[in-house]
Structures are given as structure tokens and as C-alpha cells.
Amino acid sequence: MVVKKFGGTSVKDDIAILRVIDICKSEKLNSVVVVSAFSGVTNSLVELFESAKANNTTRASTIIEELRSRHIMTAQKLKCSEETIELINTTLTQLHLILDALVIIREFTQRSNAVFLATGEILSSLIIADAFFQSGIIAKHIDSRELIYTEEKFVDAEVDILKTREITQKQISKAFSQSNIKICVCGGFIASTLSGQTSTLGRGGSDYTAALIAEACKAERLEIWTDVDGILTSDPRKVPNTKLIKEISYDEAAELAFYGAKVLHPKTIYPAVEAEIPVFVLNSFNPKNTGTKIIPHTIWKNRIKAIAFRENVTVINVSSSRMLGTYGFLANVFDVFKKHQIPIDLVATSEVSISMTVDNGPLLDAAIKELEKFSNVEIFLEKAIISAVGDGIRNESGIAARFFGALTGINISMISFGASEVNLSIIVDSVDIKKAVNMLHTEFFTDDIDNEIFVNLGQQ
Ligand code: ASP
Ligand code: MG
């Protein structure tokens, strides 16, 4: 079997949902279709709960009625049954009753928050399962709260992997053993606690639901359908002529996620990757594209796959003449960051100083004051990290020379290379970012791009 997950924009309205049905129709294998809430719905539910908390019941009622009309309108356009329309109505009427009760007793706990947040996927999965049926495909709706189990924390809950694996495996194989069932539709993101209360995974958690199901059922592949063609060689908002990367390793994808490639968070697909299930990122608005395949290890090594960057970075230089020949200085510096819970990204050291990058943030001032008690601190704002990402580039001679050779005229204030197999990173001034990223992208992705790994968009 296969697992296909469709994100919020891929199911945003009736036309998008019909596209989803078309994509699933052409699948030969049994499929579990995991869907997100319609785009924007989870955000509305967050606002709904906040409005109730702030006693703004007028706003809360408006949000519920907007959700009602959007879901009913979509269901009607998809020719869903009266029963489905009724279910949408009762679900939202009940939510309104719960909301009124919570306002009276002021019970704004995470447990009640999860009940609100879960509504988006409860509704989208019901509507989409019925839409399959209306287009002639019998799809079984399975409430994911009967598949995915979490600890007794209701929002951003930790999954009980063993129980989830056992029950999901049983339920899904039972569903497919019914002779006419080839498709099961489940909502992403929603789960139950072990005691049977509704809980939710973190935001964007539908990918995680899909990966858990794929792992439990030993799926042949996991497809993450979204609204972009896959993972690209750079950010198309800054770089013209970015290419689609056909195949990427899990480590490379994780590295790109740090640099803000928003396509998917590799942590969420980890269960599938660990089980060696290939993961494909695909575009439901352009289903002919081949997408990006993510696998544990790729044979396309020792070459740069992408030029990524991260903006709004602060560089902190900490020096102390006392560091010379002593020990423990680095530990003391890192302790300060640990205490203030500030992640450090890149580090370079010399005998008497250490240079680090962190994201700009409100916690920084207190940490700097503390560092100043035992060292000299210099702060450089408005910096950016640029990183060339590719498995094994550390072992390939000539890459660093090409990389630095391409950056004529750009001031590089720090270099980090060798710590990981996967990246070569530098710090530049924010003003130089676009120019520098383009210089690198042109150097590595213009003449000799390998058609086995990269695709010119528009050429598929
Ligand atoms: N609907 C949830 C969210 O927007 C989960 C998801 O879409 O993955 O965060
Ligand atoms: Mg979403």
C-alpha cells in the first residue's frame, strides 16, 4: 500500500479536492489518504479559542459561522450526501455549545483547546471521504483518533509509537480486507490520548500522521502532496532559474529545513525514513511533475545540491585573553547559551576567541550581559548564513575552491566547514545576500547540471 498526504492548500476548495480524487484514482495500490484541514482553518480555530478566552463571543460566533458556511458550501459543490451536511452542522453546533460552556466556567485548558483544533481535520476528512464516494470510489473514512495515540498532553502531544503502530496496522489491514475498499481517508494531525481524549500533534503535524501510518503499515512509499513542485536548488524569490532536485538524502533535506525550505519538516517524516520508506514531495496542482524523492542515502553524493541561506542572523564574538592555554572557557560560554535557551548555529574558534551565530531574538540581551562578566563581547547584527548543501562535499576536492572563487567582491566574515559531511557555510552581510547566493547558484547550477539529479522547471 501507499500513503498519500494532502496539505491544506491541496484541499482548500472543491476544485482542489477533485484534483486530489483524480490523483488517487490513478493509483494501482491500496492507498491511505491523509488530509489536512482546509487551508487557513486551523488558524481560524486558533483564533476561535483565543477569542473565547478573551470573552469576545461575537468574534467567536462569526468564526464558527464562517467555518460552517465554507465547509457546507464545499460539501455541496462536491455533491456530498445530506448525512454529511448534517454531520458538519452538528459538529459545528456542538463546538459552539462547548465554547459557550467554556466561557461560563472559564475552562481554557489545553484539553479543550485540542477539541477546537481537531475540528478542521475532522471535517475535511469527512467531506473528502464522501467526495470520493460521490465520484464513484468507495473510500472508507477512518477517524485518526482511532489510529494515533498520544500521552496525556493534548496539544503538541508526544505519540505513543508502539500502541499507534499496533493499532494502526490492525485497523488499516482490516479496512483493506473488505473486498471493495482500496482507499481509506483519515484526517492528519488529530489523535487520542491513551485515556481516549482528543489530542493533536504539533502544527503541520499531518505529515507526521502520514509518516506514522506509512511506517506502521510498511507502505511502499509515502507521498507528501503540496502546492510546490518539490525541493529546489535555492529560494526562487531570490534566485531565478532554480532547479528541482529529483533525489535528496534525509540529511540534506534536514539541513535545508534549517535554512527555511518550508516544503516539509524532515523531523515529521522521520518514522518513514527510518523504516527506509521513500518519501516523495509532489505538487497536487501539477501532478505530472516528478517531484523530489527523499531517501536515507542517495547515490548522488559529493556534489552541491542546493544553495540555502538564513537571514536575520547575529554574530557574537567572545574573546578573553584568559582563554590562552586554559581550559573550560568554551564550556562557560556555551553554558550561558544553554541557560538562556538560545540555540547556537555556527561556531568558529581561535586560540583566544570564539565566534558564534544565533538568530536575532529577545533573549539575547540577557545572555550578552552574562557573557560580559567574564569576557569581551562584540555583536554584529544584520548578518546572514549562506550554506552549500550536499552529502559528502567535505570529501570532494575542488568544491571549496569553486565556492570561494565564485564569491569575488563579497566580504565573508566567518567560515564553517568540515563539522558535517553535508554543508559548507559562510557568514556575509545581509546586504550582500542576494548577490552572493546568485553568484554561487550560477557557479554550481548553470552549465553542467546533471539531468539525473536536477530538473529545469518548466521542462517537465
Ligand atoms: N492543520 C494542521 C495545521 O495547520 C496540521 C497540518 O496541516 O499539517 O497545522
Ligand atoms: Mg496545514
Side-chain angles (χ1 to χ4, degrees):
M1 55 89 85
V2 297
V3 178
K4 297 178 192 287
K5 180 259 170 179
F6 293 89
T9 41
S10 297
V11 295
K12 66 176 181 202
D13 54 23
D14 55 307
I15 312 228
I17 293 171
L18 289 175
R19 260 186 220 115
V20 166
I21 293 175
D22 259 352
I23 290 167
C24 297
K25 257 185 189 164
S26 54
E27 176 64 59
K28 303 264 179 324
L29 300 174
N30 286 345
S31 333
V32 176
V33 176
V34 176
V35 294
S36 283
F38 298 172
S39 60
V41 167
T42 311
N43 288 343
S44 298
L45 293 163
V46 169
E47 197 198 336
L48 177 61
F49 193 68
E50 290 307 314
S51 310
K53 222 166 154 179
N55 246 337
N56 189 349
T57 45
T58 320
R59 179 70 194 133
S61 299
T62 311
I63 296 173
I64 292 195
E65 290 323 308
E66 280 168 4
L67 290 172
R68 192 193 300 276
S69 59
R70 177 168 175 198
H71 286 91
I72 289 188
M73 203 176 71
T74 307
Q76 280 168 341
K77 285 189 175 154
L78 291 164
K79 307 206 168 38
C80 287
S81 66
E82 275 308 310
E83 200 189 333
T84 299
I85 309 278
E86 193 53 42
L87 260 172
I88 301 170
N89 260 322
T90 40
T91 305
L92 288 165
T93 304
Q94 250 174 30
L95 197 68
H96 210 156
L97 290 172
I98 296 171
L99 184 136
D100 289 340
L102 295 184
V103 170
I104 294 167
I105 62 172
R106 309 231 34 93
E107 148 94 46
F108 296 108
T109 57
Q110 294 292 43
R111 190 177 70 166
S112 27
N113 195 4
V115 171
F116 280 72
L117 292 176
T119 309
E121 273 75 5
I122 292 175
L123 293 176
S124 67
S125 61
L126 268 174
I127 295 169
I128 293 165
D130 194 8
F132 269 101
F133 185 77
Q134 303 304 336
S135 64
I137 301 164
I138 302 174
K140 187 175 169 57
H141 178 248
I142 301 181
D143 189 326
S144 297
R145 289 172 296 177
E146 288 162 18
L147 301 178
I148 313 289
Y149 290 85
T150 69
E151 48 156 17
E152 296 298 307
K153 189 184 157 205
F154 305 94
V155 173
D156 227 332
E158 196 77 37
V159 171
D160 182 328
I161 302 274
L162 292 182
K163 177 156 182 176
T164 297
R165 184 185 292 145
E166 187 194 321
I167 298 196
T168 299
Q169 209 273 326
K170 227 185 258 164
Q171 296 280 78
I172 300 285
S173 59
K174 196 171 117 200
F176 286 131
S177 68
Q178 292 170 259
S179 60
N180 55 348
I181 300 291
K182 289 198 58 125
I183 293 181
C184 292
V185 177
C186 318
F189 181 58
I190 56 178
S192 290
T193 67
L194 296 173
S195 71
Q197 312 270 352
T198 295
S199 58
T200 54
L201 312 178
R203 289 302 305 271
S206 296
D207 288 353
Y208 192 39
T209 307
L212 289 166
I213 296 176
E215 191 259 358
C217 303
K218 301 192 172 51
E220 216 141 295
R221 71 193 121 86
L222 165 62
E223 298 174 359
I224 305 282
W225 291 85
T226 167
D227 58 355
V228 294
D229 280 319
I231 301 177
L232 305 178
T233 51
S234 197
D235 184 339
R237 286 168 301 185
K238 286 235 172 13
V239 182
N241 306 322
T242 47
K243 319 279 184 256
L244 177 71
I245 310 169
K246 279 196 202 172
E247 187 179 288
I248 196 166
S249 73
Y250 180 76
D251 286 348
E252 290 169 331
E255 196 68 32
L256 290 177
F258 166 75
Y259 289 99
K262 294 241 165 46
V263 182
L264 93 177
H265 204 294
K267 246 194 346 222
T268 62
I269 56 159
Y270 193 66
V273 173
E274 206 184 25
E276 311 223 332
I277 297 168
V279 180
F280 292 81
V281 179
L282 297 154
N283 185 352
S284 72
F285 298 89
N286 181 21
K288 286 207 180 69
N289 84 97
T290 47
T292 300
K293 180 181 184 185
I294 306 171
I295 45 175
H297 305 286
T298 146
I299 54 162
W300 307 113
K301 277 179 173 296
N302 305 350
R303 67 192 80 209
I304 290 176
K305 296 260 183 63
I307 306 295
F309 56 87
R310 190 173 174 103
E311 294 178 279
N312 294 318
V313 166
T314 296
V315 175
I316 305 177
N317 281 352
V318 182
S319 59
S320 166
S321 46
R322 278 174 285 163
M323 184 172 166
L324 193 64
T326 62
Y327 53 85
F329 181 74
L330 291 181
N332 293 341
V333 171
F334 290 145
D335 266 350
V336 172
F337 288 91
K338 181 177 168 198
K339 185 172 148 202
H340 293 273
Q341 300 187 347
I342 301 170
I344 300 171
D345 297 321
L346 304 189
V347 181
T349 64
S350 77
E351 187 54 31
V352 291
S353 69
I354 165 166
S355 226
M356 290 152 295
T357 69
V358 294
D359 284 349
N360 288 344
L363 301 171
L364 221 48
D365 283 349
I368 289 164
K369 281 215 176 70
E370 209 167 322
L371 289 170
E372 279 170 339
K373 287 186 192 152
F374 63 92
S375 55
N376 306 317
V377 183
E378 280 177 298
I379 307 292
F380 303 93
L381 300 168
E382 312 276 326
K383 298 284 182 183
I385 306 176
I386 299 180
S387 190
V389 176
D391 265 347
I393 55 174
R394 187 175 59 185
N395 309 325
E396 187 65 18
S397 58
I399 284 191
R402 265 179 88 186
F403 183 93
F404 292 109
L407 290 170
T408 325
I410 301 286
N411 183 37
I412 299 169
S413 50
M414 181 174 157
I415 298 170
S416 164
F417 187 41
S420 105
E421 284 261 330
V422 188
N423 75 40
L424 161 55
S425 302
I426 54 168
I427 299 292
V428 301
D429 292 338
S430 283
V431 287
D432 288 336
I433 183 94
K434 187 167 177 179
K435 191 170 160 203
V437 170
N438 272 287
M439 286 165 141
L440 288 169
H441 196 271
T442 307
E443 170 66 29
F444 289 102
F445 298 101
T446 306
D447 299 332
D448 54 351
I449 68 154
D450 189 334
N451 293 326
E452 302 253 35
I453 322 174
F454 303 106
V455 183
N456 267 320
L457 288 170
Q459 264 188 12
Q460 334 183 35

